[in-house]
Amino acid sequence: MELKIEKLDNYGRGIAYFNDKICFVENALPGEIVQVEIEKEYKKYIEAKVISYKKVAPNRIKEECPYSNVCGGCQLNHICYDDENKFKEEKVRDILKKFTNISTNIIKPIASHERDYYRNKIILHGKDGVLGLYQKKSNEIIPIIECLLVNPKINKIIHLLNKVNNGIDEAIIKTSNDNNQVMISVKGKVRDSSLLLQNSDVFILNGKCISQKKCIETQIGNKVYQEGIDSFFQVNNTLTKSLYDEVFSQIKGKNYQNVLDLYCGTGTIGIYVSSECQKVIGIDCNISNVLDAKNNKILNQINNIEFIYDKVENQIDKIKDIDVIIVDPPRAGLDKKTIHYLKKINPVKIIYVSCDPITLARDLKDLSESYDIKYIRLFNMFPRTYHVETVSVLTRRN
Ligand SMILES: C[S@@+](CC[C@H](N)C(=O)[O-])C[C@H]1O[C@@H](n2cnc3c(N)ncnc32)[C@H](O)[C@@H]1O
């Protein structure tokens, strides 16, 4: 059947209508007329795939990635970077309008840097001698020799892994933000592990660390952070500093006493802002993160920060006398108990770092009963994908 694409949905898919039913079409842009085949029909909507383009949008660009539309990693390879940024701004605006009464005028322009080679981490999967990424909507693996998202050092290691692959099940590659330090963890069999050891700073084979070093270190601003293989670290090499600077700008010079850094990971944001307050408490439920956070405190010679290893929801009711709360939860956002206690602790400011605009909107709606949402700034931390990071600043209403 032939469809005219009206607009994009939150996942970058084209939206069209067929017999009053909404159709989602991947790799289709507003204004395009496409011949599609139905992939799945549900009660309320249809998922369809393009067979041919009858009319192509003038802003469509050539997809440079050889795995485009096969690998599930990128959804926006056919959109230029400016349009991608506009799409992300529009998406956050639409979600706010749909789920809240918060004015969309508070959205600040998106911060972005580069479209390619920005990631400092990749996870490869292996099966039957093939090493690569999962095919879209499947457990099949497509072999890859390069990925446009990761930095050149990681691409070099992907090449090496393909050379020594003798039954790799999984490989994780991480680099420091300046791309100088490399960490590789391989599960499965390799032909020549010394080659991987020579080309990395940290090398872990089947859970055992073979190299002398166990962590890599990354510089962000004037702070240095170590991260282990199991620790969380922001994946964008350059924009992470801008994200942390945004949070810092909200704390700098304000004479705040106590700051709470919830979902603190390896303690990065808490340590980044620690010079601007009396005391910081960080909470995270991943032991690798908390151990790295405690080492990061020492590495940066910081005395006014403490880390608690637990779930936020188990600790939040024990906390009081806080001026600023920073939250950076996973995609699920904040749970009801945490929101309840955030309001009860009643800090003058809440800084909400989010990687999911839908759960962000849900939580802002709830928090806006007691807080004014001052602004939301977008960060294009994940170019070529539909994901977008945001920093929202909330101030207590008197
Ligand atoms: C998006 S990361 C934020 C990390 C950190 N702010 C940074 O910039 O590196 C979310 C973190 O929340 C942690 N986490 C997930 N659920 C949690 C929970 N219920 N309680 C505490 N930490 C949690 C994860 O371990 C992860 O480190």
Side-chain angles (χ1 to χ4, degrees), residues 108-119:
K108 285 197 181 191
I110 192 162
S112 65
H113 195 257
E114 55 219 332
R115 187 175 184 233
D116 294 331
Y117 308 117
Y118 62 86
R119 274 186 75 98

Side-chain angles (χ1 to χ4, degrees), residues 231-234 240 243-244 261-270 283-287 289 310-314 326-331 335 353 355 389:
S231 300
F232 176 91
F233 213 82
Q234 296 287 349
T240 299
L243 182 87
Y244 289 178
D261 180 15
L262 299 181
Y263 314 89
C264 67
T266 57
T268 44
I269 300 182
I283 305 179
D284 199 281
C285 70
N286 173 324
I287 189 64
N289 289 345
D310 202 349
K311 288 189 170 170
V312 166
E313 53 273 35
N314 294 342
I326 302 159
V327 297
D328 185 2
R331 278 187 205 146
D335 62 285
V353 183
C355 55
E389 188 90 4

Side-chain angles (χ1 to χ4, degrees), residues 122-141:
I122 194 167
I123 302 179
L124 302 174
H125 306 278
K127 201 179 164 192
D128 302 330
V130 173
L131 187 66
L133 297 167
Y134 281 130
Q135 224 176 71
K136 201 162 50 178
K137 299 177 190 166
S138 134
N139 279 338
E140 290 298 308
I141 296 165

